Amino acid sequence: MKLLLDTHVFIWWSSSSDKLTAKVYDLITDTNNSLTLSIASVWGMQIKVQLSKLNLIAPLP
């Protein structure tokens, strides 16, 4: 299945947050699924990082 991740879901997943339901976590970690993130999400996260409103574990490429 192809999954388009919402910005918040991506951030919560990448930070191992408990805000994700078990069902969502299972879908994301299922290796049979392919994950996609919108370029607009990356752009928005980068703006927030530059404004010091978002701290990520790893830098955005």
Side-chain angles (χ1 to χ4, degrees):
M1 177 183 333
K2 293 180 181 181
L3 302 173
L4 174 61
L5 299 183
D6 169 85
T7 305
H8 285 96
V9 170
F10 175 77
I11 292 169
W12 295 335
W13 172 57
S14 66
S15 66
S16 301
S17 174
D18 60 354
K19 294 181 180 181
L20 292 177
T21 65
K23 182 176 181 175
V24 172
Y25 184 79
D26 289 344
L27 286 169
I28 291 173
T29 56
D30 185 340
T31 58
N32 293 313
N33 295 333
S34 62
L35 306 178
T36 305
L37 185 64
S38 167
I39 192 67
S41 291
V42 177
W43 177 64
M45 287 188 290
Q46 183 62 38
I47 290 171
K48 289 184 186 282
V49 166
Q50 290 173 334
L51 294 172
S52 299
K53 293 187 176 191
L54 176 63
N55 294 317
L56 298 175
I57 295 170
L60 294 170

